[in-house]
Amino acid sequence: MAGRSRLRAWRAALGGLMVALAVLTACAGPYQYYEGTGIHDTTAAEVAGGWGNVEGTRVVLRKDGTALVEKLDGQDFDFEDGWRLSGTGTWHLTDGDGGQVVRLALTARTRVESRSPATVSDTSAPEPPSTYAWSFYVDRNQHDELKLFFFSGDPDIGNTYVMSRETGA
């Protein structure tokens, strides 16, 4: 009888520990622990040029550090607001412990679009920013070609917004 009681107490304690661990890790998605791609050998000259994605986004990173942005969505939770920004700005390549990152800053917005018609008519949607900053991780695909990406939507889910080199760039 005493052994059965101890077993129940042990199970209850173990169950409580499992619940506590589940609560502590509930918001700990892949982005929260993302440390970068580990890429450290890319030069700014390699990153300079035209980049695009399947959504019609286009970013031109000029060698002089200026940038042209067309229809670029927000990153992380801002992606869910549905706006797409166009304009001009600046960029630079940084290198940290986890790898290289392209820092892109929109300094002069020229146009705002929406990914869906519903967002345009939604008066409760927040006003799109007049300036904005993105952080693109630098990575390479299976063919050793550069790609740039950031996380979009809820960062815990780990959806990526990938930019590939424009053909002929």
Side-chain angles (χ1 to χ4, degrees):
M1 188 77 157
R4 194 175 277 178
S5 176
R6 266 190 227 149
L7 186 58
R8 281 189 194 140
W10 177 248
R11 285 182 181 162
L14 186 59
L17 179 63
M18 296 301 286
V19 168
L21 286 173
V23 168
L24 287 173
T25 61
C27 294
Y31 175 74
Q32 195 165 359
Y33 299 110
Y34 191 73
E35 296 181 12
T37 61
I39 302 290
H40 295 282
D41 63 348
T42 305
T43 65
E46 275 185 284
V47 174
W51 297 87
N53 77 5
V54 296
E55 298 294 325
T57 298
R58 182 167 188 259
V59 174
V60 177
L61 305 175
R62 297 183 183 116
K63 290 181 182 183
D64 66 359
T66 61
L68 174 66
V69 175
E70 295 177 7
K71 301 180 186 179
L72 186 54
D73 296 278
Q75 68 182 69
D76 297 330
F77 284 112
D78 291 339
F79 180 83
E80 295 172 359
D81 291 338
W83 46 255
R84 309 184 85 203
L85 301 177
S86 297
T88 58
T90 62
W91 74 277
H92 64 279
L93 180 65
T94 64
D95 194 352
D97 290 340
Q100 292 175 298
V101 175
V102 171
R103 309 278 185 202
L104 172 63
L106 179 76
T107 57
R109 184 182 81 186
T110 57
R111 189 171 67 244
V112 175
E113 295 179 37
S114 175
R115 272 195 316 278
S116 69
T119 312
V120 174
S121 62
D122 185 3
T123 57
S124 67
E127 176 67 26
S130 58
T131 62
Y132 195 78
W134 294 265
S135 294
F136 287 92
Y137 292 101
V138 177
D139 201 2
R140 295 188 185 275
N141 66 18
Q142 66 273 19
H143 304 291
D144 205 36
E145 299 164 333
L146 285 181
K147 67 178 182 175
L148 306 176
F149 72 93
F150 60 77
F151 290 96
S152 61
D154 184 341
D156 291 334
I157 295 172
N159 292 330
T160 55
Y161 191 95
V162 179
M163 301 288 290
S164 300
R165 177 77 66 189
E166 288 183 333
T167 310

